[in-house]
Amino acid sequence: MLLQLLNIFGKILLLLAFGFVLSKRGIMTIKMRDSLSELLVKIILPVNIISAAGQIFSKENAIGMLSVLLISSVYFLLFLVILSIFTKKLNVNKRFRSVFINVMVFANVGFIGFPLLGEMFGKTGTLYTVAYNMSFQLFFFSYGLMLLTGKEKISIRNLFSNKTLYVSIISIIIYLSGFRFPDFIQYTLSSIGGMMVPLSMMLIGWEIANSNFKEILCDRYAYMVSTMRLIFIPLIVAVFMKLMKIDPVTASSTVILSALPSGSLTVIMSQAEHNDSAFAARAVAQSTILMLPTLPLIFLFVQYFFSE
């Protein structure tokens, strides 16, 4: 298992370094970065989600998906409520609070979760990420956006405006129904979805190369986010999974998804709503950089903690 871990993170580090070098050499420009990001979000990610439904049906995977969906929903609900209460005691304005809560709770599932779980647990890992991502979409585009927009009510329109949510639902329906695409279609879907890992890691490498390290290293609130996101939240989730006696693969998948850095979606929506998008960007960049040493440790921890 240690050799598998070294292979996975060795591959990730090389891809990150490749994106870093492409940026520093001026080969991957901002325009290219934006085009690749759009390709990844609008085409490759949905195709990857659909391709995950092509594996052979098993009762264990179906139960695992349901477990991830329920547990992640409990996680989002509890932490959003707890942090909403806790942050009222911080000496910060309301707009900063809304960003702080979002970067603390919502991780980078799309760019890091899907490729990482796919590498670690294959199609089963991707299916579990689909279930986790459904909860993410539901809570971010309801409560999360309500905070960022400063409104008092959840917008149903925002909730059902995200196409990734529909793709996730379709993927789960396909998997549970037993319907499978012909081999040549499944091969095509898997090939396109397979671009998730190299493209997403290269784009993150680009972001790291273009980060202002001085600002990132001096932001104490960003350190609070990184510490909670990368260490305490996954440990809390791990203890909960252990007490619930969830099977090792499902438990490990959920903990790792809970140990990811803050999601860039908060930065995008903060910019759109004129919130503190600069802090959101610093929190995302810092937690992404600090993920490099913490995530392998979390992975080793879950291998030991959930070993039977």
Side-chain angles (χ1 to χ4, degrees):
M1 186 56 68
L2 180 59
L3 181 61
Q4 180 193 12
L5 177 67
L6 291 174
N7 285 332
I8 291 171
F9 282 95
K11 184 189 299 183
I12 289 172
L13 286 173
L14 284 176
L15 289 169
L16 287 171
F18 191 57
F20 187 96
V21 172
L22 288 178
S23 174
K24 290 299 184 182
R25 295 293 297 272
I27 298 172
M28 185 184 290
T29 61
I30 293 177
K31 185 177 181 180
M32 183 185 294
R33 187 281 311 267
D34 291 342
S35 297
L36 290 175
S37 295
E38 187 174 10
L39 175 67
L40 192 68
V41 172
K42 292 186 177 180
I43 304 297
I44 296 174
L45 176 57
V47 171
N48 186 51
I49 291 172
I50 293 296
S51 71
Q55 65 174 307
I56 298 172
F57 175 83
S58 74
K59 184 179 178 181
E60 291 77 13
N61 280 351
I63 294 173
M65 287 174 65
L66 180 60
S67 299
V68 171
L69 182 62
L70 292 175
I71 292 167
S72 58
S73 296
V74 171
Y75 155 73
F76 285 119
L77 181 61
L78 285 178
F79 275 92
L80 283 169
V81 171
I82 291 171
L83 285 171
S84 293
I85 296 171
F86 168 75
T87 52
K88 288 181 179 179
K89 298 179 181 180
L90 296 176
N91 186 27
V92 294
N93 61 56
K94 188 175 181 181
R95 286 190 174 277
F96 180 88
R97 276 185 61 232
S98 67
V99 175
F100 183 82
I101 293 170
N102 273 272
V103 292
M104 185 81 80
V105 175
F106 297 105
N108 198 335
V109 178
F111 274 66
I112 301 179
F114 277 101
L116 188 64
L117 266 291
E119 282 290 312
M120 289 180 171
F121 302 110
K123 293 291 186 183
T124 298
T126 303
L127 274 177
Y128 289 170
T129 311
V130 170
Y132 189 97
N133 191 55
M134 278 187 63
S135 292
F136 177 102
Q137 300 289 330
L138 286 169
F139 282 92
F140 181 84
F141 285 96
S142 56
Y143 194 88
L145 266 190
M146 182 187 73
L147 290 174
L148 293 175
T149 56
K151 296 179 180 178
E152 300 296 327
K153 294 182 180 180
I154 291 173
S155 171
I156 301 299
R157 181 180 179 181
N158 286 334
L159 180 60
F160 291 102
S161 64
N162 191 267
K163 295 178 181 178
T164 307
L165 177 62
Y166 295 111
V167 174
S168 299
I169 293 171
I170 291 170
S171 178
I172 291 175
I173 291 173
I174 291 173
Y175 177 74
L176 295 177
S177 70
F179 170 79
R180 296 295 180 267
F181 294 108
D183 288 344
F184 72 97
I185 294 179
Q186 182 60 40
Y187 172 81
T188 303
L189 294 174
S190 298
S191 297
I192 296 172
M195 290 190 282
M196 272 291 300
V197 176
L199 267 184
S200 59
M201 293 303 124
M202 285 166 55
L203 288 169
I204 292 169
W206 188 96
E207 295 292 346
I208 292 173
N210 289 274
S211 298
N212 187 321
F213 286 96
K214 184 177 180 180
E215 290 184 358
I216 291 170
L217 294 175
C218 294
D219 195 318
R220 64 190 181 96
Y221 284 111
Y223 278 111
M224 290 175 65
V225 172
S226 296
T227 303
M228 282 296 295
R229 272 243 50 84
L230 303 176
I231 301 174
F232 288 110
I233 288 177
L235 291 180
I236 292 169
V237 173
V239 171
F240 177 78
M241 302 294 274
K242 188 76 169 183
L243 292 173
M244 295 294 293
K245 297 182 179 179
I246 305 296
D247 76 272
V249 175
T250 304
S252 299
S253 298
T254 308
V255 173
I256 291 169
L257 287 169
S258 302
L260 300 178
S262 302
S264 55
L265 194 55
T266 300
V267 181
I268 296 169
M269 298 311 299
S270 296
Q271 291 171 341
E273 298 299 332
H274 306 290
N275 281 317
D276 197 338
S277 58
F279 167 71
R282 289 195 298 273
V284 169
Q286 186 192 101
S287 60
T288 301
I289 294 169
L290 294 178
M291 168 199 74
L292 299 178
T294 62
L295 199 56
L297 294 176
I298 291 294
F299 187 73
L300 287 174
F301 167 75
V302 297
Q303 292 298 312
Y304 170 79
F305 195 63
F306 297 117
S307 61
E308 295 180 329

